[in-house]
Amino acid sequence: MNTIEGWTEVAFNNRDPVYMQVVRHFKERIATGRSTAGQIIPSRRELGAFMKINPNTVQKAYKEMEDQQLIITEGNSPSRITSDTRVLNQIREELLGDAVRDFWGKVKNIDVPIEELLLLVERHFREEGEKK
């Protein structure tokens, strides 16, 4: 089974540690349904080669994801996405919370009433949905 199939390349930034960007990429894949509970994930070497990063960096990312209980590695079996719904729900909440904080940081000084802001967000959401 080619577990790298369906993965997209990541455009790394220079601000954050690469291993944390890999962790965030996994979280985004899970939150968007591109990776699912129990799914086998690429090996450390496969992912390192695909993303063009050092396998030690991938190892550090996998260790971080294991610590966060995002992935499970048992013995010599391939690593897989957790099936713990509590963890999976937390991932979505974390990403949405980050997005809301970023959004709020950009609009808080505009002094827009909440009702107007919500209408603009709703309209944008609908327009983007129609494009799909």
Side-chain angles (χ1 to χ4, degrees), residues 103 110-123:
F103 175 73
I110 298 175
D111 195 28
V112 59
I114 187 74
E115 297 80 12
E116 182 182 351
L117 185 59
L118 291 174
L119 285 172
L120 288 169
V121 170
E122 184 177 6
R123 184 174 64 204

Side-chain angles (χ1 to χ4, degrees), residues 20-37:
M20 290 305 297
Q21 293 178 66
V22 172
V23 172
R24 180 161 181 94
H25 181 68
F26 270 82
K27 289 179 177 181
E28 289 171 353
R29 287 185 59 86
I30 292 166
T32 59
R34 291 180 308 207
S35 291
T36 57

Side-chain angles (χ1 to χ4, degrees), residues 34-92:
R34 291 180 308 207
S35 291
T36 57
Q39 178 181 349
I40 293 174
I41 60 175
S43 73
R44 287 141 178 87
R45 287 186 185 193
E46 280 182 308
L47 194 66
F50 179 74
M51 292 185 163
K52 298 176 181 72
I53 58 176
N54 189 309
N56 292 331
T57 301
V58 178
Q59 174 60 32
K60 191 170 182 179
Y62 276 40
K63 172 74 170 103
E64 178 67 26
M65 291 188 289
E66 288 170 349
D67 290 347
Q68 293 182 25
Q69 299 175 347
L70 175 62
I71 65 170
I72 298 166
T73 307
E74 297 172 336
N76 288 332
S77 298
S79 297
R80 58 182 66 241
I81 304 293
T82 185
S83 294
D84 186 335
T85 55
R86 179 189 56 83
V87 173
L88 297 172
N89 290 336
Q90 283 177 339
I91 292 167
R92 185 171 171 81

